[in-house]
Amino acid sequence: NSLVQEMCSQEVEANKISKTDKQWLLDLERVVLNEPNPDQLSLFAVAFEVSVSERQLHRNIKKFLKMTPNKYIRILKLHKAKKLIEEYTYRTISEVAYAVGFSDAHYFSTLFYKQYGAMPKDLLPG
C-alpha cells in the first residue's frame, strides 16, 4: 500500500525486505481490508489467516514496518474508510466508521483527522 509505504519511508528500508516477506505483507493487508466483519477483527484471527503465531505477527510487523500490529491495522482501516468516503459508498460518517470496524464515530473521526489532516465529514460530497 503506497500510503503505508509513505508513512514508513523514513524508517523502513524496502530493499531489505525479501520478495517472500513483501508477499506476506500484501497477504496481511488483503486479510485486514477484506474482513467481512471488521469490528470482530482480532490479532489472533489475522495471525491465523497469514499462517503465523500472534507473537510472530508482532515481530514481523515491527521488523518490516516499525510499528505495532494494532497501529498498522488501524492505518489500513482508515485508508479503507477514506476510499469509502471518496467513493460516497455510505451517506454518513457513522456508517463509514461502522463499515471499517470502529464502533465510535467520534473516535474514528479523531483518528482520521490525525492521519489525514482533514475531518471525514469534510470529504463527503454536498
Side-chain angles (χ1 to χ4, degrees):
N1 179 311
S2 60
L3 176 67
V4 174
Q5 288 174 352
E6 182 180 314
M7 292 182 71
C8 303
S9 63
Q10 292 80 22
E11 299 177 28
V12 175
E13 296 178 40
N15 59 343
K16 292 189 177 182
I17 300 176
S18 72
K19 286 184 180 184
T20 304
D21 291 333
K22 286 179 186 177
Q23 186 58 51
W24 182 85
L25 287 168
L26 288 172
D27 289 344
L28 173 64
E29 183 177 323
R30 179 191 46 76
V31 166
V32 172
L33 293 177
N34 295 329
E35 172 59 40
N37 298 314
D39 56 328
Q40 297 176 4
L41 190 67
S42 70
L43 291 181
F44 176 79
V46 171
F48 178 79
E49 287 293 323
V50 294
S51 305
V52 295
S53 67
E54 270 187 86
R55 183 70 185 129
Q56 195 62 37
L57 180 74
H58 278 270
R59 285 185 191 130
N60 286 348
I61 292 175
K62 191 72 168 174
K63 178 172 80 172
F64 299 136
L65 303 174
K66 310 294 189 219
M67 63 179 71
T68 65
N70 286 326
K71 183 174 183 178
Y72 180 62
I73 290 169
R74 185 173 60 237
I75 288 168
L76 291 176
K77 286 181 173 184
L78 290 171
H79 178 70
K80 182 176 182 179
K82 184 173 186 255
K83 186 176 179 182
L84 292 173
I85 292 169
E86 289 170 345
E87 294 172 353
Y88 199 50
T89 307
Y90 296 96
R91 292 178 293 135
T92 68
I93 296 305
S94 293
E95 290 174 348
V96 173
Y98 297 135
V100 296
F102 289 93
S103 58
D104 182 348
H106 178 72
Y107 177 65
F108 164 76
S109 294
T110 301
L111 292 175
F112 191 93
Y113 181 79
K114 285 181 182 178
Q115 181 154 336
Y116 294 108
M119 294 301 288
K121 67 180 179 180
D122 297 337
L123 300 179
L124 282 175

